[in-house]
Amino acid sequence: MRLLENREWDSLFSAACEAMEKAYAPYSKFPVGAAALVEDGRIVSGCNVENASYGVGLCAECSLISNLVMAGGGVLTAFPCVDGHKKVLMPCGRCRQLLFEHSAEDMLLQTPSGTRTISEVLPQAFGPRELKDFYDE
Ligand code: THU
């Protein structure tokens, strides 16, 4: 696993805070910003986008993944997300699954309890490999 230098975490954290400032969260009033480092050095980010039909609101990670794919895709190696107080936030369960699909095996996440790998925060994940194994049998 490649450990990130502090300045790399700082850049990711700043990108997450910048994204959070763009959040559209008039209903929950809980803005979220997310950022991730791509294997090739790019940084992608996203914010939550809520909706008057509450249930269809999008999490910040959803916007991040859309931005990643629209920018040509890539493998994510490190990730923080922040709330409106710029405090590190734990991504929700659905978002861990969204991130898993595009994550490096040892992707690192900043969490309120320290740095964790994707497999620590989403153990025994269902992913692309399960589908491949099934169809290849
Ligand atoms: N939210 C995110 O954007 N990401 C998460 O991982 C947790 C929750 C958003 C969804 C909603 O707009 C607001 O936070 C309050 O739940």
Side-chain angles (χ1 to χ4, degrees), residues 25 28 30 32 48-50 58-61 81 89-92 95:
S28 71
F30 190 85
V32 179
N48 53 338
V49 181
E50 296 183 349
L58 304 174
C59 279
E61 294 85 341
C81 66
L89 189 70
M90 195 67 202
C92 76
C95 289

Side-chain angles (χ1 to χ4, degrees), residues 27-93:
Y27 306 109
S28 71
K29 305 206 182 326
F30 190 85
V32 179
L37 183 63
V38 187
E39 232 166 28
D40 61 12
R42 273 177 298 143
I43 288 181
V44 287
S45 62
C47 63
N48 53 338
V49 181
E50 296 183 349
N51 192 278
S53 176
Y54 297 166
V56 303
L58 304 174
C59 279
E61 294 85 341
C62 188
S63 150
L64 180 154
I65 294 297
S66 299
N67 285 333
L68 171 73
V69 172
M70 280 299 291
V75 175
L76 305 178
T77 59
F79 168 93
C81 66
V82 297
D83 67 16
H85 298 303
K86 302 189 175 173
K87 245 182 56 198
V88 170
L89 189 70
M90 195 67 202
C92 76

Side-chain angles (χ1 to χ4, degrees), residues 9 13 78-82 87-92 96 99 107-122:
W9 278 123
F13 187 80
F79 168 93
C81 66
V82 297
K87 245 182 56 198
V88 170
L89 189 70
M90 195 67 202
C92 76
R96 294 179 210 181
L99 290 167
M107 174 186 167
L108 298 173
L109 295 91
Q110 248 173 27
T111 80
S113 58
T115 307
R116 297 281 181 271
T117 62
I118 186 74
S119 53
E120 285 175 307
V121 303
L122 193 68

